[in-house]
Amino acid sequence: MSAESTGASYASAGVDIEAGDRAVDLMKKWVAKATRPEVVGGLGGFAGLFDASALKRYERPLLASATDGVGTKVDIARKMGVYDTIGHDLVAMVVDDLVVCGAEPLFMTDYICVGKVFPERVAAIVKGIAEGCVLAGCALVGGETAEHPGLLGEDEFDVAGAGTGVVEADRVLGADRIRTGDAVIAMASSGLHSNGYSLVRHVLLDRAGMSLDQEVPELGRTLGEELLEPTKIYSLDCLALTRTCEVHAFSHVTGGGLANNLARVIPDGLHATVDRTTWAPGAIFDLVGTAGAVERQELEKTLNMGVGMIAVVPQESVDVALTTLADRGVDAWVSGEIVERGDHAEAVTLTGDYAS
């Protein structure tokens, strides 16, 4: 018997190099759309190149970096067979962490790990990432697709990404800028975003026995469509705020919920009070709570409850901030204020009951 018929190969071990090459060919047109003038070269190199001379306009540029994934939301995409939205979630989770300190997102790289390379599927994932980068104003300068047979099932995959941004040193936003009397402005989320899906999947799919193709009247669409709603990307909206009015801090509401994430930018000695009566969480939050008998405290420390980003601004900036966000199509409202810490044990307190 010939060596050709008996010898092991990369393909026989489950890795298809040709499929990977085809995936790269299919994604090229999408990556080409997610660019900036500073990007040098194109897809295919061992590293993405970004012309750092663009930073010369800064007096003291600080580079900001962030990395993240989208958690078990990828399982919903897999089960739905929809792969071109999960990339929006990935970009949002990265760039909206960058913008919290006032940094402009410059570029991203991605990492896609699959059990088996299906070129059209990988290209669809990259399409979503590229579209997200366009919405965020940053470039997609490179990435990696890894095939892991034996570790992941053929239909299984995961995504992660890393981003870099830049901010002028004397314009870094954060806790040291916040003052008593500042207003807390909430920006509406587009839904669950990309956090808490282990709880959501357990409650709705396992305990309640709902199916992803089930029409849910209160949602106005199928459960799967609701769960795949892409995460809102706020980076350009937040940067617009910094150009039109004074901003002291942002807080990206992700895992841990509104209170825990807002607490990360509240300085010692001060306290944020947030009034639940100023907004009504979307129907999906009530559905999760009701179907799983999940207590409000547990929901609030797991899900965003309808708020995806917070801006802390001085009172004199409130009107301009709200107008700026409204002009950009962002639903936003004053949800609280900054006060002296006093007897408050926690940095953030949520008061009242949600509007119905």
Side-chain angles (χ1 to χ4, degrees):
M1 193 172 290
S2 69
E4 182 179 7
S5 62
T6 62
S9 67
Y10 214 9
S12 68
V15 177
D16 190 338
I17 294 176
E18 287 74 19
D21 291 341
R22 172 161 168 72
V24 172
D25 287 337
L26 291 173
M27 69 177 70
K28 282 182 178 178
K29 67 177 180 179
W30 301 112
V31 177
K33 296 176 184 294
T35 190
R36 288 173 55 115
E38 301 93 340
V39 174
V40 178
L43 188 65
F46 286 91
L49 299 176
F50 191 90
D51 185 359
S53 68
L55 305 184
K56 290 181 179 178
R57 71 177 187 271
Y58 292 84
E59 290 188 13
R60 187 188 169 201
L62 300 183
L63 294 180
S65 65
T67 185
D68 211 335
V70 298
T72 59
K73 188 172 184 176
V74 298
D75 190 55
I76 305 298
R78 180 184 65 82
K79 290 177 176 176
M80 292 282 291
V82 177
Y83 305 100
D84 62 351
T85 63
I86 204 76
H88 287 232
D89 298 287
L90 178 62
V91 174
M93 298 305 290
V94 173
V95 300
D96 288 339
D97 276 355
L98 291 175
V99 82
V100 162
C101 68
E104 175 190 1
L106 298 175
F107 57 84
M108 273 192 64
T109 57
D110 64 65
Y111 177 78
I112 304 171
C113 182
V114 300
K116 179 178 176 61
V117 171
F118 295 98
E120 289 77 12
R121 183 178 302 177
V122 172
I125 295 171
V126 174
K127 172 180 179 286
I129 297 172
E131 290 174 338
C133 285
V134 171
L135 293 174
C138 69
L140 180 60
V141 297
E144 172 72 8
T145 300
E147 195 170 22
H148 287 178
L151 296 182
L152 296 174
E154 287 193 354
D155 286 332
E156 294 179 327
F157 71 96
D158 199 5
V159 296
T164 298
V166 63
V167 60
E168 191 70 74
D170 63 3
R171 302 195 67 181
V172 173
L173 304 180
D176 61 324
R177 292 180 178 263
I178 294 180
R179 300 288 184 268
T180 302
D182 283 354
V184 176
I185 294 179
M187 301 180 216
S189 68
S190 57
L192 292 169
H193 283 184
S194 298
N195 300 103
Y197 272 74
S198 293
L199 173 65
V200 171
R201 290 164 51 247
H202 172 67
V203 165
L204 300 182
L205 303 183
D206 299 337
R207 289 188 54 164
M210 300 179 70
S211 62
L212 294 174
D213 59 0
Q214 178 177 337
E215 291 285 346
V216 183
E218 54 264 50
L219 299 178
R221 52 182 170 177
T222 69
L223 177 63
E225 289 170 335
E226 176 71 26
L227 297 186
L228 274 190
E229 178 67 36
T231 304
K232 168 74 174 171
I233 297 174
Y234 299 95
S235 57
L236 293 182
D237 304 313
C238 291
L239 292 174
L241 277 188
T242 65
R243 292 191 297 268
T244 59
C245 65
E246 183 178 353
V247 177
H248 289 166
F250 290 116
S251 175
H252 188 197
V253 183
T254 57
L258 190 157
N260 285 342
N261 281 286
L262 180 55
R264 295 165 68 179
V265 297
I266 303 301
D268 292 340
L270 295 184
H271 179 83
T273 61
V274 177
D275 185 359
R276 297 186 187 95
T277 68
T278 59
W279 82 95
I284 185 61
F285 301 100
D286 183 62
L287 180 63
V288 173
T290 302
V294 184
E295 295 183 358
R296 184 170 71 181
Q297 182 179 7
E298 183 68 19
L299 285 175
E300 290 180 339
K301 74 177 186 181
T302 307
L303 307 178
N304 66 60
M305 300 305 290
V307 177
M309 182 70 78
I310 292 284
V312 180
V313 306
Q315 287 291 338
E316 57 268 26
S317 291
V318 168
D319 290 343
V320 174
L322 293 177
T323 298
T324 298
L325 292 171
D327 289 345
R328 298 183 60 83
V330 179
D331 183 16
W333 62 94
V334 175
S335 63
E337 64 176 337
I338 304 299
V339 299
E340 295 291 338
R341 177 68 63 95
D343 296 329
H344 294 289
E346 306 293 336
V348 178
T349 298
L350 274 61
T351 64
D353 294 322
Y354 292 112
S356 55

